[in-house]
Amino acid sequence: MANPPYRVLQVVAKMNRGGTETMLMNHYRALDRTQVQFDFLVHYPDKGDYDDEIKSLGGRIFHAPAIRPWTYPVYFAWLDKFFKEHASEYCAVHGHIQENTGFALRYAKKYGIENRLSSSHIATSRLDYKYIFRLYAQIYLNKNVTTRLACGVDAGRHLYGRKNFTVFKNAVSTEKFIYNPDIRKKKRDELGIDENTFLIITVR
């Protein structure tokens, strides 16, 4: 294995401000990036909310084609070419796109990446026309994953069924949410709200 920083490829949909993406950024910011560095394999061509920060922290962003059943041949060919060129750079691949993670892990395995992780972030999914394709992707996931992770028990059972998995809870920087009277006063002053007014704030 190459010398530090050891690179981990995070496989995601797009690095916008969703729950999974924000959790990854919480980990990424806290890492000793002289030892471990993240790159991101995304599945949309346009820019994500976190892209600039990722690049400022030393990460790279690779844009894969969208995953669609009618474009599987194009997608698989792209993955094969990508991992053939880049597999030697990574000590691990960590997928966050549910069953579809298995496709990336297939080529990671083909080109010799030993650590192939999958994370489940949801506990339910709709029974729709995509169900048969999820079953197809599940085959690749089960054949190629080495470590199964989930944010909770229900999420793990949803993706992995009876197979063993480890609960890896989402990271939150609690210091950001500690009560601070100075910030309270500053924000009330900015909003023109006096100290004695009862205030409820909704964040959308």
Side-chain angles (χ1 to χ4, degrees), residues 36-74:
V36 179
Q37 180 60 257
F38 285 175
D39 289 339
F40 295 81
L41 178 62
V42 303
H43 291 80
Y44 285 85
D46 48 325
K47 183 178 178 181
D49 294 334
Y50 288 122
D51 285 12
D52 288 340
E53 183 179 2
I54 288 169
K55 293 175 182 178
S56 74
L57 295 175
R60 298 176 296 177
I61 301 168
F62 301 97
H63 293 266
I67 307 172
R68 299 290 184 269
W70 53 90
T71 61
Y72 278 165
V74 172

Coordinates of all heavy atoms in Angstrom, one line a residue, residues 36-74:
V36 N -5.4 10.3 6.1 CA -6.5 9.7 5.3 C -7.2 10.9 4.5 O -7.4 11.9 5.1 CB -7.6 9.1 6.3 CG1 -8.8 8.5 5.4 CG2 -7.0 8.0 7.1
Q37 N -7.4 10.6 3.3 CA -8.0 11.6 2.4 C -9.2 10.9 1.7 O -9.2 9.7 1.4 CB -7.0 12.1 1.4 CG -7.5 13.1 0.4 CD -8.0 14.4 1.0 OE1 -9.2 14.6 1.1 NE2 -7.0 15.2 1.5
F38 N -10.3 11.7 1.5 CA -11.4 11.3 0.7 C -11.4 11.8 -0.7 O -11.1 13.0 -0.9 CB -12.7 11.7 1.4 CG -13.1 11.0 2.7 CD1 -14.2 11.5 3.4 CD2 -12.4 9.9 3.1 CE1 -14.6 10.8 4.6 CE2 -12.8 9.3 4.3 CZ -13.9 9.7 5.0
D39 N -11.9 10.9 -1.6 CA -12.3 11.4 -2.9 C -13.8 11.0 -3.1 O -14.3 10.1 -2.3 CB -11.5 10.7 -4.0 CG -10.1 11.2 -4.1 OD1 -9.8 12.4 -3.6 OD2 -9.2 10.5 -4.7
F40 N -14.5 11.5 -4.1 CA -15.9 11.3 -4.2 C -16.3 10.9 -5.6 O -15.9 11.7 -6.6 CB -16.7 12.5 -3.8 CG -16.5 12.9 -2.3 CD1 -15.4 13.6 -1.8 CD2 -17.5 12.5 -1.4 CE1 -15.3 13.8 -0.5 CE2 -17.3 12.7 0.0 CZ -16.2 13.4 0.4
L41 N -17.0 9.8 -5.8 CA -17.5 9.4 -7.1 C -19.0 9.7 -7.1 O -19.8 9.1 -6.3 CB -17.3 7.9 -7.3 CG -17.8 7.3 -8.6 CD1 -17.1 7.9 -9.8 CD2 -17.6 5.8 -8.5
V42 N -19.4 10.7 -7.9 CA -20.8 11.2 -7.9 C -21.4 10.8 -9.2 O -20.8 10.4 -10.1 CB -20.8 12.7 -7.7 CG1 -20.1 13.1 -6.4 CG2 -20.2 13.4 -8.9
H43 N -22.8 10.9 -9.2 CA -23.5 10.4 -10.3 C -24.4 11.4 -11.0 O -25.4 11.1 -11.6 CB -24.4 9.2 -9.9 CG -23.5 8.0 -9.6 ND1 -22.9 7.8 -8.3 CD2 -23.2 6.9 -10.3 CE1 -22.2 6.7 -8.4 NE2 -22.4 6.1 -9.5
Y44 N -24.0 12.7 -10.8 CA -24.7 13.8 -11.5 C -23.6 14.7 -12.2 O -22.5 14.8 -11.6 CB -25.5 14.6 -10.6 CG -26.8 13.9 -10.2 CD1 -26.9 13.0 -9.1 CD2 -28.0 14.2 -10.9 CE1 -28.0 12.4 -8.8 CE2 -29.2 13.5 -10.5 CZ -29.2 12.6 -9.5 OH -30.4 12.0 -9.1
P45 N -23.9 15.3 -13.3 CA -22.9 16.1 -14.0 C -22.7 17.4 -13.4 O -21.6 18.1 -13.6 CB -23.4 16.2 -15.4 CG -24.9 16.0 -15.3 CD -25.1 15.1 -14.2
D46 N -23.7 18.0 -12.7 CA -23.6 19.3 -12.2 C -22.9 19.4 -10.8 O -22.8 18.4 -10.2 CB -25.0 20.0 -12.2 CG -26.1 19.1 -11.5 OD1 -26.0 17.9 -11.7 OD2 -26.9 19.7 -10.8
K47 N -22.6 20.6 -10.4 CA -21.9 20.8 -9.2 C -22.7 20.6 -8.0 O -23.9 21.0 -7.9 CB -21.4 22.3 -9.2 CG -20.5 22.7 -8.1 CD -20.0 24.1 -8.3 CE -19.2 24.6 -7.1 NZ -18.7 26.0 -7.3
G48 N -22.2 20.0 -7.0 CA -22.8 19.8 -5.7 C -22.5 20.9 -4.7 O -21.5 21.6 -4.8
D49 N -23.3 21.0 -3.7 CA -23.2 22.1 -2.7 C -21.8 22.1 -2.0 O -21.3 23.1 -1.6 CB -24.3 22.0 -1.6 CG -25.7 22.3 -2.2 OD1 -25.7 23.0 -3.2 OD2 -26.7 21.8 -1.7
Y50 N -21.3 20.8 -1.7 CA -20.1 20.7 -1.0 C -18.8 20.6 -1.9 O -17.7 20.4 -1.3 CB -20.1 19.4 -0.1 CG -21.1 19.5 1.1 CD1 -22.1 18.7 1.2 CD2 -20.9 20.5 2.1 CE1 -23.0 18.7 2.3 CE2 -21.7 20.6 3.2 CZ -22.8 19.7 3.3 OH -23.6 19.8 4.4
D51 N -19.0 20.7 -3.2 CA -17.8 20.4 -4.1 C -16.7 21.4 -3.8 O -15.5 20.9 -3.8 CB -18.3 20.6 -5.5 CG -19.1 19.3 -6.0 OD1 -19.5 18.5 -5.1 OD2 -19.3 19.2 -7.2
D52 N -16.9 22.6 -3.6 CA -15.8 23.6 -3.4 C -15.1 23.3 -2.1 O -13.8 23.3 -2.1 CB -16.3 25.0 -3.4 CG -16.8 25.5 -4.8 OD1 -16.3 24.9 -5.8 OD2 -17.5 26.5 -4.8
E53 N -15.8 22.9 -1.1 CA -15.1 22.6 0.2 C -14.3 21.3 0.1 O -13.2 21.2 0.6 CB -16.2 22.5 1.3 CG -15.5 22.2 2.7 CD -16.5 22.1 3.8 OE1 -17.7 22.2 3.6 OE2 -16.1 21.9 4.9
I54 N -14.9 20.3 -0.6 CA -14.1 19.1 -0.8 C -12.8 19.4 -1.5 O -11.7 18.9 -1.1 CB -15.0 18.1 -1.7 CG1 -16.1 17.6 -0.8 CG2 -14.1 17.0 -2.2 CD1 -17.2 16.8 -1.7
K55 N -12.8 20.2 -2.5 CA -11.6 20.5 -3.3 C -10.6 21.2 -2.4 O -9.4 21.0 -2.5 CB -11.9 21.2 -4.5 CG -12.7 20.4 -5.6 CD -13.1 21.2 -6.8 CE -13.8 20.3 -7.8 NZ -14.3 21.1 -8.9
S56 N -11.1 22.1 -1.6 CA -10.3 22.9 -0.7 C -9.6 22.1 0.4 O -8.5 22.4 0.9 CB -11.1 24.0 0.0 OG -11.9 23.5 1.0
L57 N -10.2 20.9 0.7 CA -9.7 20.0 1.7 C -8.8 18.9 1.1 O -8.2 18.1 1.8 CB -10.8 19.3 2.5 CG -11.7 20.2 3.3 CD1 -12.8 19.4 3.9 CD2 -10.9 20.9 4.4
G58 N -8.6 19.0 -0.2 CA -7.7 18.1 -0.9 C -8.4 16.9 -1.6 O -7.7 16.0 -2.1
G59 N -9.7 16.9 -1.6 CA -10.4 15.8 -2.2 C -10.6 16.0 -3.7 O -10.6 17.1 -4.2
R60 N -10.8 14.9 -4.4 CA -11.2 15.0 -5.8 C -12.6 14.5 -6.0 O -13.1 13.7 -5.3 CB -10.2 14.1 -6.6 CG -8.7 14.6 -6.5 CD -7.8 13.6 -7.2 NE -7.8 12.3 -6.6 CZ -7.1 11.3 -7.1 NH1 -6.3 11.4 -8.2 NH2 -7.1 10.1 -6.5
I61 N -13.2 15.0 -7.1 CA -14.6 14.6 -7.5 C -14.6 14.0 -8.9 O -14.1 14.7 -9.8 CB -15.5 15.8 -7.3 CG1 -15.5 16.4 -5.9 CG2 -16.9 15.4 -7.7 CD1 -16.2 17.7 -5.8
F62 N -15.1 12.8 -9.0 CA -15.2 12.1 -10.3 C -16.7 12.0 -10.6 O -17.5 11.6 -9.8 CB -14.5 10.8 -10.3 CG -13.1 10.8 -9.9 CD1 -12.6 10.6 -8.6 CD2 -12.1 11.1 -10.9 CE1 -11.3 10.7 -8.3 CE2 -10.8 11.2 -10.6 CZ -10.4 10.9 -9.3
H63 N -17.1 12.3 -11.9 CA -18.4 12.3 -12.3 C -18.7 11.0 -13.2 O -18.2 10.9 -14.3 CB -18.8 13.5 -13.1 CG -18.8 14.8 -12.3 ND1 -19.9 15.3 -11.7 CD2 -17.7 15.6 -11.9 CE1 -19.5 16.4 -11.0 NE2 -18.3 16.6 -11.1
A64 N -19.5 10.1 -12.6 CA -19.9 8.9 -13.3 C -21.2 9.2 -14.1 O -21.9 10.1 -13.7 CB -20.1 7.7 -12.4
P65 N -21.5 8.4 -15.1 CA -22.8 8.5 -15.7 C -23.9 8.1 -14.7 O -23.7 7.4 -13.7 CB -22.8 7.5 -16.8 CG -21.3 7.1 -17.0 CD -20.7 7.3 -15.7
A66 N -25.1 8.6 -14.9 CA -26.3 8.3 -14.1 C -26.5 6.8 -14.2 O -26.3 6.1 -15.2 CB -27.5 9.0 -14.5
I67 N -27.0 6.2 -13.1 CA -27.4 4.8 -13.0 C -28.8 4.6 -13.5 O -29.7 5.0 -12.7 CB -27.2 4.2 -11.6 CG1 -25.8 4.5 -11.1 CG2 -27.4 2.7 -11.6 CD1 -25.6 4.1 -9.6
R68 N -29.0 4.1 -14.6 CA -30.3 3.8 -15.2 C -30.3 2.4 -15.8 O -29.3 2.1 -16.4 CB -30.7 4.8 -16.2 CG -30.8 6.3 -15.7 CD -31.9 6.5 -14.8 NE -32.0 7.9 -14.4 CZ -31.4 8.5 -13.4 NH1 -30.7 7.7 -12.5 NH2 -31.6 9.8 -13.1
P69 N -31.4 1.6 -15.6 CA -31.4 0.3 -16.2 C -31.1 0.3 -17.7 O -30.4 -0.6 -18.1 CB -32.8 -0.2 -15.9 CG -33.2 0.6 -14.7 CD -32.6 1.9 -14.8
W70 N -31.5 1.2 -18.4 CA -31.3 1.2 -19.9 C -29.9 1.7 -20.2 O -29.5 1.7 -21.4 CB -32.4 2.1 -20.6 CG -32.6 3.5 -20.0 CD1 -31.9 4.6 -20.4 CD2 -33.4 3.9 -19.0 NE1 -32.3 5.7 -19.7 CE2 -33.2 5.3 -18.8 CE3 -34.3 3.2 -18.1 CZ2 -33.9 6.0 -17.8 CZ3 -35.0 3.9 -17.2 CH2 -34.8 5.3 -17.0
T71 N -29.2 2.2 -19.2 CA -27.8 2.7 -19.5 C -26.8 1.8 -18.8 O -25.6 2.2 -18.6 CB -27.6 4.1 -19.2 OG1 -27.8 4.4 -17.8 CG2 -28.5 5.0 -20.0
Y72 N -27.2 0.7 -18.2 CA -26.2 -0.2 -17.5 C -25.0 -0.5 -18.3 O -23.9 -0.4 -17.8 CB -26.9 -1.5 -17.1 CG -27.8 -1.5 -15.9 CD1 -28.7 -2.5 -15.6 CD2 -27.7 -0.5 -15.0 CE1 -29.4 -2.5 -14.5 CE2 -28.5 -0.5 -13.8 CZ -29.4 -1.5 -13.6 OH -30.1 -1.5 -12.5
P73 N -25.0 -0.8 -19.6 CA -23.8 -1.1 -20.3 C -22.8 0.1 -20.3 O -21.6 -0.1 -20.1 CB -24.3 -1.5 -21.7 CG -25.7 -2.0 -21.6 CD -26.2 -1.1 -20.4
V74 N -23.3 1.3 -20.5 CA -22.5 2.5 -20.5 C -21.9 2.7 -19.1 O -20.7 3.0 -19.0 CB -23.3 3.7 -21.0 CG1 -22.5 5.0 -20.8 CG2 -23.7 3.5 -22.4

